[in-house]
Amino acid sequence: MMLRVLLFLVLMSVPWSTSQATVEIATPSIVFAEVLRIEKEVELIKSHLGLTESKPAIQIFAALSPRHSWQKSYIIQLKINLFRRQRGFPFLAANNLEPVLKMEPEVVYEQTQRLLTEINMLKKRLGISKIVPKQEIVPGKKPIDVFNKLNFISMQWDIINRREISPANVYAEVKRVNEDVNIILNYLNVQDVAFPPPKKSDAKPADSFKSAFKLLAEIQRLQQLAGIARVDFHDFSKIKTVLPSDVLNMVSMAIAELQVLKAHLGLITRLTTPAEQHVEKTPAEVNQFLGYVANKLQLIRSL
C-alpha cells in the first residue's frame, strides 16, 4: 500500500508538459502554404463558373502582423457569405475573435482551415470534385506575405461575386467599429457628447477612404498614449481609383487596431459585435458615420 502511495506522489510531481505546453503548429511560412492552397481552390471555383478575369491587388510593404492577416481573412469570409446569399445557400456569419495584445501565426493558420472548410462546402454544392493538395512550404515568409496573398484572394472573390463591395457592406463594418468605440468610452467613463459631421451629399468612396485614415489616426493617437507600437499604413494610401472595397479594407484595419487597444484596457471578453445586414446605404452615409466615430475617439484625452 505504501509503495502505491509513493508511486502516486512521484507521478504527481512530474510536470505534464505535453498537456500544459503550447505546441507551435504554424509559422508565417506554414500559413502562407495554406493560403496558397486557398488561392488554388478559389481558382477552381472561378474556372468552374467560366470566369477568366484576374483582379490585381496592390502590394503592401508595411510591417504588418498576424492580426492584420486575420482581419483580411474576415473580409474573405464576408465575401464568401455574399456568394452564398446570391446562390440561395444558407448564410453563415463570419467568425469573431477575442481581443489580444499580440496574435500568433497559429491563430491565422486556424482561420485558413476555416476558409478551406467553407470553400469545400461550396465546392460540394457547386459540383466541383477536384481536390487541391497541400502546398510546398517555402521558408522565410513573413506576415506581410500572408497578408498580400490574402488580399489578392479577396479581390478574386469580387470577380466570383460579379459585383463590388457595396456601401451597405462598408456601413455594416463601420457600425462594428462604432460599437467597439462605445465599449471603450463606457469603460473609461467618457460621456459621448460627439456629433456627426455634416453629411457631404456628393461624397465618393475616395472621401470615405480619407475619413477611414482619419479614424485610424485617432486610434493610433490612443495607442501612443497607451505605449502600444503603431503600424505605418501609408502604403495603403497608394491607390489611384478608390473603390468601396478599399474603404472596407481600411475600416477592417481600424477594427484590428482597436482590438489591441481593447486588450490593453483589459476588455478581452468584449468581442466586436457581428455585422448586421444593411441595404441602400450611400457613400455619403458611410463617410459621415466614419467622421462621427472619429469624433467620438477625440473625446478620449487619457487612458
Side-chain angles (χ1 to χ4, degrees):
M1 182 66 179
M2 182 61 70
L3 182 61
R4 289 181 180 178
V5 172
L6 288 173
L7 180 60
F8 174 77
L9 292 174
V10 170
L11 290 174
M12 289 298 292
S13 67
V14 175
W16 293 91
S17 58
T18 54
S19 62
Q20 295 176 350
T22 300
V23 179
E24 184 180 59
I25 61 171
T27 62
S29 291
I30 292 174
V31 177
F32 187 82
E34 293 302 289
V35 174
L36 279 179
R37 191 173 162 201
I38 294 171
E39 179 185 27
K40 292 184 181 299
E41 293 281 18
V42 171
E43 286 302 316
L44 278 182
I45 295 175
K46 284 175 61 180
S47 179
H48 176 80
L49 297 174
L51 303 171
T52 57
E53 180 187 352
S54 181
K55 190 174 181 180
I58 64 167
Q59 285 291 110
I60 302 296
F61 298 99
L64 301 186
S65 71
R67 70 176 180 267
H68 303 107
S69 295
W70 193 95
Q71 201 63 44
K72 178 55 67 173
S73 73
Y74 170 91
I75 293 179
I76 295 174
Q77 274 193 314
L78 174 65
K79 293 181 178 182
I80 289 175
N81 289 342
L82 293 175
F83 179 79
R84 293 183 69 92
R85 194 182 292 279
Q86 287 176 4
R87 293 273 167 160
F89 300 156
F91 186 84
L92 302 174
N95 67 315
N96 211 337
L97 190 68
E98 68 179 11
V100 292
L101 281 171
K102 181 181 178 182
M103 186 180 294
E104 301 298 334
E106 283 83 359
V107 182
V108 185
Y109 176 87
E110 291 170 350
Q111 188 75 339
T112 63
Q113 302 313 293
R114 294 185 185 97
L115 289 176
L116 285 167
T117 298
E118 292 194 18
I119 289 171
N120 279 327
M121 288 190 291
L122 282 181
K123 285 168 62 182
K124 285 183 172 61
R125 285 184 174 274
L126 296 172
I128 302 173
S129 57
K130 190 172 180 180
I131 298 174
V132 175
K134 286 271 190 179
Q135 301 297 297
E136 181 181 351
I137 297 174
V138 181
K141 293 298 180 181
K142 299 178 180 179
I144 188 61
D145 299 310
V146 174
F147 179 90
N148 278 324
K149 183 58 70 175
L150 285 170
N151 194 29
F152 177 76
I153 293 169
S154 175
M155 293 297 188
Q156 307 323 299
W157 272 104
D158 291 341
I159 297 173
I160 293 173
N161 289 336
R162 293 179 170 87
R163 51 163 284 189
E164 249 290 336
I165 285 292
S166 72
N169 298 138
V170 182
Y171 189 92
E173 295 302 314
V174 178
K175 191 169 184 179
R176 298 179 73 222
V177 177
N178 182 60
E179 291 302 319
D180 267 355
V181 171
N182 287 340
I183 288 171
I184 294 172
L185 289 176
N186 290 335
Y187 176 78
L188 296 174
N189 293 317
V190 175
Q191 185 179 3
D192 181 6
V193 293
F195 287 93
K199 183 184 289 187
K200 185 179 179 181
S201 59
D202 60 344
K204 300 292 188 294
D207 297 300
S208 298
F209 193 64
K210 292 178 182 177
S211 295
F213 269 96
K214 290 179 181 178
L215 173 62
L216 266 171
E218 284 300 317
I219 295 172
Q220 292 191 316
R221 177 181 65 82
L222 297 180
Q223 288 178 335
Q224 184 177 24
L225 289 177
I228 298 171
R230 291 167 294 165
V231 176
D232 184 357
F233 289 103
H234 177 71
D235 256 22
F236 287 82
S237 65
K238 298 175 182 178
I239 299 174
K240 295 180 180 178
T241 303
V242 177
L243 300 173
S245 58
D246 300 313
V247 182
L248 176 64
N249 199 36
M250 298 319 301
V251 172
S252 293
M253 294 302 100
I255 291 175
E257 294 306 288
L258 276 172
Q259 302 319 298
V260 184
L261 194 57
K262 285 163 62 181
H264 171 80
L265 295 172
L267 300 169
I268 59 174
T269 62
R270 304 302 301 272
L271 275 65
T272 306
T273 57
E276 298 177 8
Q277 185 179 2
H278 293 272
V279 294
E280 298 180 357
K281 292 297 180 181
T282 64
E285 290 174 294
V286 172
N287 186 55
Q288 184 183 43
F289 202 178
L290 283 166
Y292 178 41
V293 179
N295 288 348
K296 284 185 174 186
L297 287 174
Q298 288 178 357
L299 298 172
I300 303 173
R301 308 314 301 177
S302 63
L303 293 176

